[in-house]
Amino acid sequence: VTGDRFDLAGRVAVITGGGGMLGREHAAALAECGATVVVTDVDESTARSAAEALGAPSAGAKAGAVHMDVADPASVAACRDAVLERWGGVHILVNNAALDPKVRSGSDGQELTRFEHFPLAQWEREMAVGLTGAFLCSQAFGSWMAEHGGGVILNIASDLSVIAPDQRLYRRDGVAEDEQPVKPVTYSVIKTGLVGLTRYLATFWAAKGVRVNALSPGGVFAGQPDAFVRRLTTLIPMGRMAERDEYRGAVQFLCSDASRYLTGQNVVMDGGRSVW
Ligand SMILES: NC(=O)c1ccc[n+]([C@@H]2O[C@H](COP(=O)([O-])OP(=O)(O)OC[C@H]3O[C@@H](n4cnc5c(N)ncnc54)[C@H](O)[C@@H]3O)[C@@H](O)[C@H]2O)c1
């Protein structure tokens, strides 16, 4: 093999939900390998600050920010057109955007809605971003890749794409049994659905040189309440949650020629949680 298998020089990468916690890490990971990184987000100011962290908008910086609401087909098409016009192509798509509930102390638990009362509107809103958004972006950007020699799509799923949520993790003291907060049903359905989309597109576009894989991260420590962290870490063989930058290596592997014979797979990187 000649050259660096991880080298992404000359490739343009689009990250959805790129202004969020992990989106910034994916952006930094791909920039480290020399890619031109387009940070997109429905929240344009977070996309801009993430791109600024990579040197934009100074001349010569291989980074930029573009507004994109993944749930809105017109916004996805406008973003694709803007990327093609400004950077001339797209070679990597990271479907990362999601509306996820965060486990926080002091929150009232309303965001962790039980199944019996799960509102249809919330189901539709979360599916629109996490699953339909990945469909729309894959269609818009992946079709361009398929017509222009290939590329890579990376779907960001979760360890909950291969295991059920352990609802005991989210329990709160002093709350009635039938009102205990839970991980929402949408999370499991979206993340498992992304693995289905991954397999479908991997085979559909294999002959066109578009590789499609999923990365399933375990939970990242981000100041969650002690009780939650203690319960979760006892379920993880490595005995701790992930640090936010620990997925960078996997993103670099999955988006580069280092993984050139890998397609249709779900790489579960969870400190061993799902094998225990
Ligand atoms: N944080 C974790 O522990 C963890 C673990 C496993 C998987 N994940 C997955 O990683 C991904 C990123 O998670 P995160 O923790 O960085 O979340 P985050 O909330 O920090 O980031 C999500 C981003 O998506 C954006 N977004 C929301 N709706 C959008 C829309 N309609 N169009 C475009 N962008 C939209 C938000 O503005 C936000 O910037 C998610 O898919 C999440 O499910 C996270």
Side-chain angles (χ1 to χ4, degrees), residues 20-22 41-42 68-70 96 100 102 157 187 191 217 220:
M21 179 179 71
L22 286 181
D41 206 291
V42 69
M68 176 163 64
D69 176 353
V70 298
N96 167 79
D100 292 345
K102 300 282 184 274
Y187 197 88
K191 296 312 188 183
V220 175

Side-chain angles (χ1 to χ4, degrees), residues 202-249:
T203 51
F204 183 74
W205 275 330
K208 296 283 190 185
V210 181
R211 295 190 300 110
V212 188
N213 290 294
L215 174 62
S216 282
V220 175
F221 179 69
Q224 292 92 341
D226 286 348
F228 171 80
V229 174
R230 224 175 307 116
R231 285 180 214 145
L232 176 55
T233 52
T234 62
L235 300 177
I236 300 172
M238 288 182 72
R240 62 175 180 85
M241 296 181 73
E243 289 162 32
R244 65 179 63 186
D245 65 357
E246 285 186 302
Y247 299 111
R248 286 193 189 190

Side-chain angles (χ1 to χ4, degrees), residues 4-276:
D4 178 356
R5 294 178 181 85
F6 289 88
D7 184 22
L8 296 176
R11 296 187 209 175
V12 175
V14 170
I15 301 169
T16 74
M21 179 179 71
L22 286 181
R24 286 167 186 260
E25 295 295 330
H26 307 330
L30 298 173
E32 277 172 16
C33 291
T36 295
V37 177
V38 185
V39 183
T40 74
D41 206 291
V42 69
D43 179 345
E44 204 172 350
S45 66
T46 64
R48 217 174 303 116
S49 79
E52 279 163 11
L54 302 174
S58 70
K62 293 196 295 179
V66 178
H67 173 264
M68 176 163 64
D69 176 353
V70 298
D72 174 3
S75 176
V76 172
C79 177
R80 185 214 33 221
D81 292 350
V83 169
L84 295 179
E85 191 184 316
R86 178 153 166 214
W87 288 283
V90 58
H91 312 96
I92 297 165
L93 168 68
V94 182
N95 283 316
N96 167 79
L99 290 176
D100 292 345
K102 300 282 184 274
V103 177
R104 283 181 295 257
S105 52
S107 59
D108 60 8
Q110 282 303 306
E111 72 283 13
L112 301 177
T113 316
R114 291 183 68 82
F115 183 75
E116 297 91 329
H117 316 292
F118 203 84
L120 178 59
Q122 184 180 348
W123 168 278
E124 287 176 340
R125 195 165 57 243
E126 292 175 2
M127 295 287 277
V129 177
L131 197 49
T132 311
F135 156 69
L136 291 172
C137 290
S138 298
Q139 193 175 50
F141 294 96
S143 298
W144 191 93
M145 295 177 200
E147 284 164 20
H148 294 83
V152 171
I153 297 174
L154 179 59
N155 294 318
I156 305 298
S158 158
D159 52 4
L160 296 189
S161 72
V162 293
I163 57 175
D166 185 338
Q167 305 295 10
R168 295 170 299 183
L169 290 172
Y170 309 96
R171 288 185 67 85
R172 298 212 174 128
D173 290 341
V175 176
E177 207 51 41
D178 59 359
E179 288 170 11
Q180 283 286 345
V182 293
K183 192 77 173 177
V185 60
T186 37
Y187 197 88
S188 289
V189 173
I190 289 166
K191 296 312 188 183
T192 308
L194 284 174
V195 177
L197 180 68
T198 298
R199 292 193 194 105
Y200 185 96
L201 292 179
T203 51
F204 183 74
W205 275 330
K208 296 283 190 185
V210 181
R211 295 190 300 110
V212 188
N213 290 294
L215 174 62
S216 282
V220 175
F221 179 69
Q224 292 92 341
D226 286 348
F228 171 80
V229 174
R230 224 175 307 116
R231 285 180 214 145
L232 176 55
T233 52
T234 62
L235 300 177
I236 300 172
M238 288 182 72
R240 62 175 180 85
M241 296 181 73
E243 289 162 32
R244 65 179 63 186
D245 65 357
E246 285 186 302
Y247 299 111
R248 286 193 189 190
V251 169
Q252 292 169 338
F253 171 67
L254 291 166
C255 291
S256 69
D257 293 348
S259 63
R260 55 183 281 166
Y261 195 53
L262 186 74
T263 199
Q265 295 300 324
N266 179 19
V267 174
V268 184
M269 192 166 176
D270 62 354
R273 178 172 173 196
S274 58
V275 298
W276 217 357

